[in-house]
Every structure is written in C-alpha cells, then in structure tokens.
Amino acid sequence: MKTLEDYVRTIPDFPEPGIMFRDITTVLQDPDGLKLAIDSMIHLLNGIDFDIIVGAESRGFIFGAPIAYALGKSFVPVRKKGKLPCDTISEKYDLEYGSTEIEIHKDAILPGQKVVLVDDLIATGGTVEASIKLIERLGGKVQKAIFLLELAGLNGRERLKNYDIDAVLSYEGK
C-alpha cells in the first residue's frame, strides 16, 4: 500500500538551484493518491468544532471543497483581487518578489462563525495570514488551518504561532 509521500514528486533545483520542489500534481492525478490526501486532511480535523471551510485560491479549492462536502460544511473561496462578483473586502500581503491582494465576499462569514482554513501548502505563511485577517475582519473565528504539505524551513508555522496549524506532510528546507 502506498503512502502519501509515495505520491508526492520531488523535482530538484526547480524553480531555481537549491530548491526541492514538492509537486502535488502526482497526488491529484492518481485516484488513490487524491483519496488518501483528502482523507488524511479530514483526519486532521478530528475533534474540531467548526461551521465553514475557507479555501485559498486555487489549490485550497481542490482540497477544501471535497472536505467541506464530506463533512457537510459550507465552502467559502478566498480569491485573487477582482475575481469575486459581489461586495468584497481585501487584504494585501508580500510575496518573495512583490506583493498581491486577495478578497472574500463581505457576506461569506457571519460574526461568530467558526472557520477552518484549507490550502495545499504552508511555506512562509503569507497567504494564510492574509486569509486569516479577512476571516477575522468579518467576525469569524479561525479554529484551525490545515495543509497537505508544509515546507518547515520557510517558518510559516512560526509566523502563525497564535493559531492551530497542521499539515499532513512536513518537509525540511525550502
């Protein structure tokens, strides 16, 4: 029986020398790998009381929506600026080489609702931190953030030390 690690492809020196790129397309393209990934992420939510799953564009959609479906919860997307059709709030944050902005619908989360944030990867924690700020500005309470992969060498968990952060797989380095 294959483990989740068996489905993750590692590509050395991509996108630059010294980086070990963890490719999850090999997880997604195999039915058993995808099921194992979703089931493993659901397992991280055992004992967590929550109302809504928020997924960050775009790979947070891939994992967040089926988790929400399996657990009978609603799903709320956080999208890149300009992609949502109704009234939104936005949050800017820094990337390695610049900055970007994400948005959420103003009516997506009601004050006091308990939220789980889902994405494929935690690296520096910038996208997650910006998503948390959006959720909290709407009055939501972040119960936990879960990820398929963590790049521990980029210290995203430390940046988000005031939150319950969990990942199915953790890799040292970048």
Side-chain angles (χ1 to χ4, degrees):
M1 181 178 206
K2 289 175 98 173
T3 67
L4 193 54
E5 293 93 334
D6 295 328
Y7 290 101
V8 177
R9 176 171 44 196
T10 300
I11 302 167
D13 299 320
F14 182 83
E16 59 188 50
I19 302 295
M20 299 295 281
F21 186 83
R22 308 302 176 168
D23 180 16
I24 64 162
T25 61
T26 47
V27 174
L28 300 174
Q29 69 193 27
D30 186 289
D32 293 331
L34 179 58
K35 182 172 180 3
L36 183 57
I38 298 295
D39 290 348
S40 297
M41 293 177 82
I42 288 172
H43 181 75
L44 297 177
L45 296 175
N46 285 346
I48 302 297
D49 177 33
F50 67 99
D51 306 304
I52 298 170
I53 290 189
V54 170
E57 187 168 345
S58 65
R59 289 170 297 216
F61 301 175
I62 293 170
F63 296 105
I67 293 169
Y69 172 80
L71 298 178
K73 305 294 182 177
S74 60
F75 178 80
V76 170
V78 168
R79 302 229 37 209
K80 295 173 184 167
K81 185 170 179 61
K83 299 291 185 179
L84 291 172
C86 293
D87 290 338
T88 61
I89 60 170
S90 64
E91 186 71 33
K92 289 183 181 179
Y93 66 101
D94 292 328
L95 301 169
E96 189 174 355
Y97 302 107
S99 64
T100 193
E101 195 168 354
I102 56 175
E103 295 180 321
I104 191 170
H105 279 141
K106 285 182 178 179
D107 63 356
I109 297 169
L110 300 175
Q113 285 189 305
K114 295 177 240 171
V115 178
V116 166
L117 185 57
V118 174
D119 207 350
D120 68 321
L121 173 74
I122 180 169
T124 65
T127 304
V128 181
E129 184 179 51
S131 297
I132 288 171
K133 287 179 181 179
L134 290 173
I135 293 164
E136 291 178 343
R137 283 174 48 203
L138 292 176
K141 309 278 187 222
V142 177
Q143 302 300 105
K144 188 167 187 140
I146 64 168
F147 307 90
L148 184 63
L149 305 179
E150 174 182 16
L151 300 180
L154 294 175
N155 302 314
R157 189 181 292 259
E158 177 60 27
R159 181 178 191 166
L160 302 165
K161 63 185 171 197
N162 295 326
Y163 296 92
D164 185 1
I165 305 295
D166 212 350
V168 176
L169 297 175
S170 183
Y171 293 95
E172 296 302 318
K174 300 178 178 181

